[in-house]
């Protein structure tokens, strides 16, 4: 046989053999970390993902599964993988500083291992550690290592700096103790005079300031020696103010149907968003015919859109009952307008005209102004063309005796009747509402309900 001139390719360039030279078992928190003889450092995390750091510490290999591989430069690792990279770096530093060398290869240049094999599974007993890698290698480290087995050095659990444990005592007793301080003169350092009844309320400056920016600004100046002048808050009723204090002290408050809107108003004015949301949830649960108009007024005043929508929807479904309440008569023009513009009111136009007149009379008495002047911002939303000719004549006669509706608005309604077209007078809204009773002339106006 002639002598071979060169070795076969597989023998000329054998694949380098690498093994685990150091390992750290921290599977009770993160996973299993190890260093290969090629100086690659890797971690098999508890969630099954695998991350390795190259020997020169410039490249990160990430395997979300055993068949998917991604490589990044150290400075380009995605933000979502940064926590895992932090654990990997800690293991690398720990094994470098704390564990002895265990058979690493002479140098990185001598044996090139671009992508290290993955650790697929590992099992540790009192006698041995068994590791299975993706290239088919199985490594066993026994307690008494033989000469043929490359030694591996390990620590069962690195002494990582752990954050202190937060423990919690009984919340109920803590809340009860703080609630006992509400309006208690003992140890208090600020005194309020609240509501029209000018009730004295005692509180603690530091607690209010740390819980609410409004009180921080209000109580910001240091009290001088012997200064006991009260802080006057006449706009908020005492019951509502005490509910606000209870929330600031205990992060809870007892709400009642008759006073929840006053607590809501205070929460909005004081910037207490969490209390505001709790009040809104409570209002929606207890909303009824007597409360809905007051709630609508608060919603319009403070721009609480979702509450306004819930109130309008409730009134649309209970229109006749709501129009007879005191709350309806006390609505401001901006709060009344969305109701008169609604197509879904379950009430006939004749009843709505009577309700608008009653509302304007109350406003005129309170403001000492003429009825027509009070009604001017809203009366244009009444759909007079829906009234029958006889009803319109009666309204016109009543309007002469007690002016409510501009004459030109009544003329526009008559024009619709005369021409028998809903578009005859552009200024006269003719859409039927949900509660509009049918009349003979409606068939001429071509009025579909929207």
């Amino acid at each position: 046989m002639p002598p071979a001139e060169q070795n076969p390719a597989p023998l000329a360039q054998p694949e380098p053999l690498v093994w685990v030279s150091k390992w750290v078992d921290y599977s009770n928190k993160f996973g299993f970390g190890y260093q290969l003889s090629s100086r690659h450092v890797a971690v098999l995390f508890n969630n099954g993902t695998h991350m390795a750091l190259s020997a020169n510490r410039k490249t990160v290999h990430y395997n979300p599964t055993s068949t998917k591989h991604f490589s990044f430069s150290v400075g380009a690792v995605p933000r979502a993988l940064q926590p895992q990279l932090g654990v990997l770096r800690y293991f690398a530093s720990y094994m470098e500083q704390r564990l002895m060398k265990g058979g690493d290869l002479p140098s990185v240049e001598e044996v090139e291992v671009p992508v290290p094999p993955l650790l697929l599974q590992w099992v540790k007993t009192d006698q041995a550690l068994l590791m299975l890698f993706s290239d088919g290698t199985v490594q066993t480290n026994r307690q008494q290592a033989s000469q043929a087995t490359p030694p591996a050095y390990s620590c069962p659990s690195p002494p990582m700096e752990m954050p202190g444990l937060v423990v919690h005592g009984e919340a109920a007793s803590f809340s009860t103790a703080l609630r006992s301080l509400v309006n208690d003169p003992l140890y208090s350092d600020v005194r309020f005079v609240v509501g029209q009844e000018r009730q004295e309320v005692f509180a603690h400056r530091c607690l209010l300031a740390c819980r609410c920016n409004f009180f921080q600004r209000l109580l910001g100046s240091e009290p001088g020696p012997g200064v006991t002048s009260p802080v006057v808050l006449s706009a908020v009723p005492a019951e509502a103010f005490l509910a606000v204090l209870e929330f600031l002290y205990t992060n809870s408050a007892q709400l009642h149907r008759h006073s929840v809107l006053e607590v809501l108003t205070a929460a909005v004015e004081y910037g207490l968003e969490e209390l505001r949301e709790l009040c809104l949830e409570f209002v929606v649960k207890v909303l009824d015919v007597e409360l809905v108009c007051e709630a609508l007024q608060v919603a319009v005043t403070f721009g609480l859109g979702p509450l306004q929508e819930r109130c309008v929807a409730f009134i649309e479904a209970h229109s006749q009952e709501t129009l007879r309440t005191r709350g309806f008569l006390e609505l401001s023009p901006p709060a009344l307008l969305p109701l008169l513009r609604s197509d879904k009111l379950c009430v006939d136009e004749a009843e709505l005209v009577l309700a608008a007149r009653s509302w304007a009379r109350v406003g005129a008495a309170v403001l000492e102004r003429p009825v027509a002047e009070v009604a001017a911002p809203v009366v244009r939303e009444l759909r007079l063309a829906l009234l029958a000719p006889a009803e319109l004549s009666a309204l016109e006669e009543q309007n002469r005796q007690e002016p409510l509706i501009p004459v030109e608005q009544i003329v526009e309604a008559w024009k619709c009747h005369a021409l028998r077209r809903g578009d005859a007078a552009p200024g006269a809204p003719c859409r039927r509402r949900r509660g509009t009773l049918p009349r003979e002339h409606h068939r001429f106006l071509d009025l579909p309900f929207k």
Side-chain angles (χ1 to χ4, degrees):
M1 177 181 295
E5 295 182 0
Q6 61 181 11
N7 290 331
L11 297 179
Q13 293 180 344
E15 291 197 8
L17 175 66
V18 293
W19 58 86
V20 174
S21 59
K22 302 177 184 180
W23 57 269
V24 175
D25 176 12
Y26 205 4
S27 55
N28 64 337
K29 187 170 181 65
F30 298 116
F32 185 88
Y34 59 95
Q35 178 174 307
L36 295 172
S37 54
S38 60
R39 293 186 176 84
H40 287 81
V41 178
V43 177
L44 176 59
F45 290 95
N46 290 337
N47 62 3
T49 61
H50 189 279
M51 182 177 284
L53 195 58
S54 65
N56 60 13
R57 305 299 188 255
K58 294 181 179 180
T59 305
V60 174
H61 301 278
Y62 176 66
N63 292 77
T65 67
S66 61
T67 59
K68 292 183 179 180
H69 172 259
F70 301 93
S71 294
F72 311 96
S73 64
V74 170
V77 174
R79 180 178 299 180
L81 300 180
Q82 289 293 334
Q84 288 176 283
L85 179 59
V87 174
L88 176 60
R89 280 174 161 166
Y90 175 80
F91 280 169
S93 174
Y94 180 83
M95 287 186 287
E96 181 69 27
Q97 297 175 14
R98 303 290 184 90
L99 302 184
M100 296 175 60
K101 292 183 179 180
D104 291 342
L105 293 175
S107 69
V108 178
E109 289 76 21
E110 291 178 15
V111 180
E112 181 80 18
V113 185
V115 180
L118 301 181
L119 175 62
L120 301 180
Q121 291 187 14
W122 63 279
V123 178
K124 187 178 70 169
T125 68
D126 294 338
Q127 288 75 35
L129 170 66
L130 184 68
M131 293 167 282
L132 172 64
F133 289 88
S134 59
D135 62 356
T137 301
V138 176
Q139 178 173 335
T140 303
N141 287 80
R142 297 185 295 274
Q143 290 286 4
Q144 299 296 328
S146 69
Q147 200 73 15
T149 305
Y153 295 91
S154 66
C155 173
S157 180
M160 297 182 71
E161 180 103 12
M162 299 298 293
L165 178 65
V166 178
V167 297
H168 298 274
E170 172 109 17
S173 60
F174 178 75
S175 180
T176 300
L178 284 178
R179 186 175 284 106
S180 69
L181 297 177
V182 176
N183 199 22
D184 186 353
L186 187 64
Y187 306 123
S188 68
D189 56 1
V190 62
R191 181 165 54 100
F192 295 92
V193 173
V194 299
Q196 298 299 320
E197 61 272 30
R198 297 184 62 80
Q199 179 176 329
E200 260 192 341
V201 176
F202 299 91
H204 303 80
R205 182 183 300 265
C206 64
L207 197 150
L208 299 187
C210 76
R211 288 277 284 151
C212 177
N213 290 335
F214 171 84
F215 287 109
Q216 187 179 55
R217 293 189 299 268
L218 183 67
L219 307 173
S221 58
E222 289 293 330
V227 175
T228 58
S229 299
V231 179
V232 179
L233 298 173
S234 57
V236 55
E239 183 178 355
F241 187 73
L242 287 171
V244 170
L245 289 190
E246 181 183 5
F247 178 79
L248 293 178
Y249 277 67
T250 67
N251 211 40
S252 63
Q254 189 171 8
L255 300 177
H256 302 278
R257 179 192 166 282
H258 68 274
S259 61
V260 63
L261 293 177
E262 295 167 341
V263 179
L264 172 59
T265 299
V268 173
E269 292 180 340
Y270 299 163
L272 299 172
E273 295 185 7
E274 187 177 3
L275 180 57
R276 181 194 67 185
E277 293 304 314
L278 293 173
C279 290
L280 288 173
E281 292 177 10
F282 184 83
V283 170
V284 170
K285 290 179 181 178
V286 301
L287 204 61
D288 59 18
V289 170
E290 295 297 328
L291 185 66
V292 67
C293 286
E294 296 178 48
L296 175 61
Q297 184 61 64
V298 171
V300 171
T301 301
F302 295 106
L304 305 175
L307 179 59
Q308 178 177 333
E309 293 175 5
R310 294 296 294 266
C311 291
V312 170
F314 185 94
I315 295 173
E316 288 171 342
H318 306 84
S319 305
Q320 292 185 341
E321 303 94 321
T322 304
L323 297 183
R324 293 192 287 266
T325 64
R326 176 180 174 181
F328 174 81
L329 298 177
E330 295 177 349
L331 287 175
S332 67
L336 181 57
L337 274 174
L339 298 180
L340 297 184
R341 289 171 178 165
S342 172
D343 293 338
K344 299 179 181 179
L345 288 178
C346 293
V347 64
D348 186 63
E349 206 66 24
E351 289 187 58
L352 200 55
V353 171
L354 292 176
R357 185 179 292 277
S358 299
W359 171 85
R361 284 172 177 168
V362 171
V366 172
L367 301 174
E368 297 182 349
R369 290 161 52 192
V371 171
E373 183 180 338
V374 172
V378 301
V379 75
R380 274 287 177 184
E381 303 301 326
L382 295 173
R383 305 174 186 182
L384 303 185
L386 297 177
L387 301 178
E391 295 171 310
L392 196 54
S393 296
L395 174 62
E396 191 173 20
E397 178 60 31
Q398 187 178 14
N399 202 60
R400 291 193 189 97
Q401 300 174 11
E402 184 185 34
L404 173 72
I405 301 170
V407 174
E408 57 271 20
Q409 187 176 348
I410 299 177
V411 171
E412 289 172 351
W414 277 119
K415 188 182 294 185
C416 290
H417 281 276
L419 299 178
R420 293 190 173 187
R421 294 204 321 272
D423 60 350
C430 297
R431 292 188 309 276
R432 287 183 295 174
R433 305 181 197 269
R434 182 173 289 167
T436 300
L437 299 177
R439 292 169 174 81
E440 178 65 21
H441 72 290
H442 287 179
R443 61 193 178 96
F444 300 113
L445 299 179
D446 188 20
L447 306 175
F449 169 70
K450 288 191 178 181

